[in-house]
Amino acid sequence: MRFVRVGGVAHHVVVEGAGPVVVLSAGLGMSWFDWDPVAALLAPHHTLVRFDRPGHGLSGPAAAAPTAAGEARRIAGILDALGFAEPVTVVGHSIAGFHAEAFARLYPARTAGLVLVDSSIEERARPPVAPGARLALARGVAAVLSRAGAPAALGPAARRAMVRLSRTGGGDPAAREVVRRCYRTSRVLRGLILENARYGAVAAELRALRERSALPPVPITVVAGGAGGARWTERQRALATMLGARFQLARGAGHLVMLDSPGAVARAVRR
């Protein structure tokens, strides 16, 4: 466990294992420890880099609104700070699937593979109307909730409920003390609300990026949680086809595939 400064923000990073480098980036509101089951399977043969985006986990507060290109630069900056110059496999879950794909398109020479885990999909994404007003509103809501003490009162319970609703394999396996340490803070609430407010803009930016920056010729796998239903599976399969990727269905897994079916994620990385 360490902290590296990228873009003026202290990023919490966990590096473990030995072998080819794999970057694990979790979805909206999630933290480094949500990859624990996958890390246990991969660390014997891979060097794993887990990091918290600004306003997530133990990282510092977000200094700027997220963009697809900015999140790709963040991954590159973290690798630079850690001294990893070789091509890496990037694994992105949910909204971090946008970031992982952007990294592969913008840093093809640094990409050895791409794994999208129940990735967010916005087939018709368009730049949102009045993005500045949306951002200001999000920051205002976060400030009001923080002043009202919502993070300390409700943060850990909200985290537990979200995890329970997003998986099929039970409740939240994370240790109570680490959940309280992260989710009782206004920093995490603000980070979550900020990323959520920028979701549409990041999706639209990635859609535009697809038109001008090709993916490198590396192995790509789309892993879908089978519990999402037939329509969600169909959309994930279409994403794999569009990217020229292998499609893998984690049967019975909810959105948090890394908790419900860590073996499926580990197999996608190994392939």
Side-chain angles (χ1 to χ4, degrees):
M1 184 181 298
R2 67 182 83 173
F3 289 85
V4 299
R5 189 163 290 275
V6 176
V9 178
H11 289 70
H12 171 240
V13 178
V14 175
V15 181
E16 60 199 314
V21 179
V22 177
V23 177
L24 302 173
S25 185
L28 178 69
M30 307 303 285
S31 299
W32 86 96
F33 52 79
D34 291 303
W35 290 108
D36 280 353
V38 173
L41 298 174
L42 290 177
H45 306 289
H46 297 80
T47 298
L48 304 181
V49 176
R50 296 188 264 171
F51 71 97
D52 293 321
R53 293 188 301 281
H56 287 63
L58 297 178
S59 289
T67 65
E71 294 308 315
R73 285 194 299 272
R74 189 183 315 284
I75 295 171
I78 287 171
L79 292 171
D80 289 342
L82 295 174
F84 293 128
E86 67 270 33
V88 304
T89 295
V90 184
V91 183
H93 166 252
S94 193
I95 194 174
F98 290 163
H99 310 158
E101 184 184 338
F103 176 86
R105 292 182 183 277
L106 293 173
Y107 298 90
R110 302 191 70 169
T111 305
L114 178 63
V115 178
L116 305 181
V117 181
D118 221 48
S119 178
S120 296
I121 302 174
E122 295 297 333
E123 296 92 341
R124 299 175 180 83
R126 293 284 188 275
V129 177
R134 289 170 179 256
L135 202 56
L137 176 61
R139 285 176 166 146
V141 169
V144 169
L145 290 175
S146 297
R147 284 196 296 269
L154 303 173
R159 144 83 195 196
R160 298 287 190 192
M162 183 273 294
V163 170
R164 191 177 303 109
L165 290 171
S166 299
R167 59 178 308 217
T168 58
D172 188 354
R176 184 174 299 274
E177 59 271 20
V178 74
V179 168
R180 287 174 58 85
R181 182 181 178 188
C182 295
Y183 291 88
R184 281 175 57 87
T185 67
S186 62
R187 170 182 51 79
V188 168
L189 173 67
R190 290 170 188 264
L192 189 157
I193 290 177
L194 183 60
E195 276 204 351
N196 187 64
R198 288 287 297 169
Y199 175 87
V202 171
E205 183 187 351
L206 177 62
R207 186 181 182 193
L209 183 61
R210 286 170 176 163
E211 297 178 1
R212 64 176 187 269
S213 299
L215 285 168
V218 298
I220 303 172
T221 302
V222 171
V223 182
R231 175 58 182 150
W232 180 245
T233 298
E234 179 184 331
R235 292 176 69 196
Q236 291 282 319
R237 194 184 299 275
L239 174 65
T241 299
M242 187 266 292
L243 298 178
R246 180 181 181 276
F247 177 75
Q248 180 178 319
L249 184 64
R251 298 186 183 279
H255 183 53
L256 298 181
V257 182
M258 63 275 219
L259 296 181
D260 283 339
S261 186
V265 179
R267 285 193 296 274
V269 171
R270 294 192 194 106
R271 290 191 177 109

